[in-house]
Amino acid sequence: MIRLRSEASRGMALSAPATLYVGLLVAAPLGILVVYSFWSQTYVSIDRSFTWENYSSALTDPLVRHLLVRSVWIAALVTAATVVLAYPIAYFIAFRTRYKTLWLLLITIPFWTSYLLRVFSWKLILGFNGLMNSALMALGLIDEPLEFLLYNEFAVVLTLAHAWAPFAIMPIYVSLQKIDPSLLEAASDLGCSKIESFLRVTLPLTVPGIIASCLIIFIPTVGDYVTPALVGGSDGKMIANLIQVQFGAANNWPLGATLSLLAMVSVGLVAGGFVVVSNLMARRIR
Amino acid sequence: MTRLVRNFPGLTTYAVLYLVFLYVPVLLLPLFSLNDGTIVAFPIKGFTLKWYAELVGQEALLQSLVNSLIVGGVTALLATSLGMFAARAYVRNRFTGREFSEALVMLPLVVPGIIVASSFLVLFLSIGLKPSLTAVILGHTFLTVPFAVAIMKSAFDEFDPALEEAAYDLGETVFGTFRRVTVPIVAPGIVASFLVTFTVSFDEFILAFFLGGDQPTLPVYIWSQIRFPAKLPNTLALGSCLLAFSVVLLVTAEFFRRRSAKSGS
């Protein structure tokens, strides 16, 4: 009993520094954002009297609403595109190749290179005078550079689907690996076709992996700054770009704090709703 | 293999195409950094190393490199220390709040960068910490703790607790056991964690951009150069160096991580 108690207290003591550090840096900034969001900016100084002004102006401003909705929309598109593109790869690695370790390594290496540089690279590929256009023209497939490649939603979705690839592949791969092969044998013994057994056995069993991938991608994407700034143009701007302006050029920190909180609440609501709905759907398929 | 390919040629083709999709943007930078031309477009004009040569002796670049090395080194040290102790507790000890604590330290992985960056800026300024390398280090440590914890957890997973018990039984103190038994055995894990957290910090942009003030790290310097088309080839050369550096560090980290997994079992 004494040994047990000392084990518990040692565990707490050892994990305390990391827990406190992360916990403090989650709670304190959040608290201060909330406080700031009820203050207001008067030219260079902060007016510390309580006001709902930031929330009412942010929520009624069509630009803010537009950017919030677009950020959530783009993040949803990115999530869907990344997961749909990644699922076959996870399936391939789990069931169709003997060189699992090699494939997993090949897929994670690009992720470890600088995110900023990868986004920058997409800008060079998709640009008006860029790689894609010059290659297509050299091959004689087009006469004039394509303009729709860069500075729009498509560019943002493509770039982020590239950036998040391993985050989608890994959780799905893990959930595919866990599937008991005898379940698939049973399905085929009971007369399921390959497609049927995929839809009714494999897919429902990988729902936890899919949900994990979706959350890991969706949550950070809503607040992504670099990709919309570099390849988004004016059609691809997202809420993070507006937040950055408030903390930079516009110098309106209380509004910036409000926007950050609104972005977080939107992410939370959409992500929570998504988890509930997809769990319900998974139950129905089964 | 041939049977598999015949069974499912579509999937294999897709997998190969997907790899091309993953690698083109990464390999593009080194390829065009050697191109004797100022725009990134086909046809490739000729081979040159002059863009790399021009990087040497640029004061601002050198300073940002030094800043990045300082930030990465201190961050790696802090995150690995925090991660090592926490990971040991998660693997070895059963205590109230363990699951909560484990979930909490993984949280930095999923918080949107802009929210971390903006809220840290507000917090630091209100406690009187000006934007500086110190602020970046505190931010990067927060960001990299999950990586350190995950790597150290796998190192402790493979480590037989009987070795520590034996040391206690033979009269070692807690500190002595830690120094002479625990650390040497999990050393490869420590090295792997150090290298990974260093690389994550070295490549990180948004926190450094918000919290660095007038002390840019290398990614922030690159960001400032991206705006100038005339600097493009130099930026490509610099980016290629950064890519090569990250890959070398991570291959080394992977080597140590595997060694830690092997030595334990």
Side-chain angles (χ1 to χ4, degrees), chain B residues 30-39 41 43-48 51:
Chain B
L31 176 67
F32 279 92
S33 72
L34 299 169
N35 181 27
D36 194 4
T38 51
I39 58 164
I44 289 175
K45 294 223 173 73
F47 175 84
T48 178
W51 310 123

Side-chain angles (χ1 to χ4, degrees), chain B residues 189-213:
Chain B
I190 296 175
V191 175
S193 161
F194 189 91
L195 292 175
V196 167
T197 49
F198 180 90
T199 315
V200 172
S201 161
F202 200 73
D203 285 336
E204 201 282 335
F205 167 71
I206 191 79
L207 279 174
F209 181 52
F210 266 74
L211 302 175

Side-chain angles (χ1 to χ4, degrees), chain A residues 7 11 14 19 21 25 29 32 36 85 96 106 112-113 116 120-121 131 134 162 165 219 223 247 253 260 264, chain B residues 8 14 18 21-23 25 28 42 89 93-94 101 110 112 114-115 118-120 122 125-126 138 232 243 250:
Chain A
E7 187 195 317
L14 282 174
T19 314
Y21 188 80
L25 283 181
I32 211 141
Y36 257 80
L85 286 173
R96 304 278 167 195
L106 281 175
W112 287 112
T113 59
L116 176 66
F120 174 55
S121 192
L131 194 71
S134 66
H162 177 264
I219 297 172
F247 284 98
W253 287 25
S260 289
M264 249 161 83
Chain B
F8 232 113
Y14 178 78
Y18 194 86
F21 164 68
L22 282 187
Y23 276 86
L28 175 85
F42 286 120
N93 304 118
R94 297 285 162 271
S101 166
V110 289
I114 187 81
I115 290 170
S118 60
S119 64
F120 277 26
V122 177
L125 277 168
S126 42
L138 291 175
L232 184 59
L243 286 182
L250 289 156

Side-chain angles (χ1 to χ4, degrees), chain B:
Chain B
M1 194 65 196
T2 46
R3 195 180 60 84
L4 283 182
V5 173
R6 224 182 304 124
N7 256 352
F8 232 113
L11 200 55
T12 311
T13 317
Y14 178 78
V16 172
L17 286 177
Y18 194 86
L19 270 195
V20 173
F21 164 68
L22 282 187
Y23 276 86
V24 163
V26 179
L27 298 177
L28 175 85
L29 298 181
L31 176 67
F32 279 92
S33 72
L34 299 169
N35 181 27
D36 194 4
T38 51
I39 58 164
V40 176
F42 286 120
I44 289 175
K45 294 223 173 73
F47 175 84
T48 178
L49 282 174
K50 71 176 171 198
W51 310 123
Y52 286 88
E54 281 178 17
L55 292 179
V56 182
Q58 284 190 26
E59 201 61 30
L61 165 62
L62 197 67
Q63 188 55 51
S64 70
L65 174 66
V66 171
N67 289 344
S68 272
L69 291 173
I70 294 172
V71 170
V74 179
T75 299
L77 210 62
L78 289 174
T80 302
S81 315
L82 291 174
M84 175 164 73
F85 292 120
R88 203 201 119 95
Y90 299 148
V91 173
R92 281 300 151 68
N93 304 118
R94 297 285 162 271
F95 56 94
T96 353
R98 182 172 63 96
E99 278 167 13
F100 171 76
S101 166
E102 272 195 82
L104 181 71
V105 298
M106 287 296 152
L107 203 58
L109 279 185
V110 289
V111 190
I114 187 81
I115 290 170
V116 178
S118 60
S119 64
F120 277 26
L121 178 66
V122 177
L123 173 74
F124 288 166
L125 277 168
S126 42
I127 57 171
L129 175 64
K130 290 235 162 58
S132 59
L133 293 186
T134 314
V136 181
I137 289 169
L138 291 175
H140 279 184
T141 304
F142 173 78
L143 206 66
T144 50
V145 160
F147 293 91
V149 169
I151 293 170
M152 292 313 295
K153 254 163 81 176
S154 68
F156 279 113
D157 264 335
E158 303 291 339
F159 167 23
D160 186 356
L163 293 170
E164 279 179 343
E165 278 159 26
Y168 293 137
D169 291 348
L170 293 169
E172 258 315 347
T173 59
V174 171
F175 179 74
T177 307
F178 177 74
R179 193 173 62 84
R180 295 179 54 185
V181 178
T182 314
V183 170
I185 293 178
V186 295
I190 296 175
V191 175
S193 161
F194 189 91
L195 292 175
V196 167
T197 49
F198 180 90
T199 315
V200 172
S201 161
F202 200 73
D203 285 336
E204 201 282 335
F205 167 71
I206 191 79
L207 279 174
F209 181 52
F210 266 74
L211 302 175
D214 56 0
Q215 293 178 287
T217 60
L218 202 50
V220 178
Y221 174 80
I222 291 177
W223 176 260
S224 72
Q225 299 298 300
I226 284 177
R227 266 178 278 164
F228 307 114
K231 297 270 183 67
L232 184 59
N234 300 103
T235 312
L236 290 177
L238 181 57
S240 310
C241 296
L242 199 61
L243 286 182
F245 188 57
S246 300
V247 170
V248 168
L249 284 184
L250 289 156
V251 169
T252 321
E254 182 65 16
F255 169 77
F256 277 103
R257 203 183 59 75
R258 288 191 182 195
R259 236 183 66 179
S260 102
K262 238 180 252 162
S263 74
S265 52

Side-chain angles (χ1 to χ4, degrees), chain A residues 89-90 93-94 97 99-110 112 166 169-170 173-174 177, chain B residues 23 258:
Chain A
I89 297 297
I93 300 174
T97 176
Y99 310 99
K100 288 181 205 287
T101 322
L102 177 68
W103 273 92
L104 290 175
L105 196 67
L106 281 175
I107 274 153
T108 34
I109 289 174
W112 287 112
I169 296 171
M170 286 303 180
Y173 168 76
V174 169
Q177 278 292 87
Chain B
Y23 276 86
R258 288 191 182 195

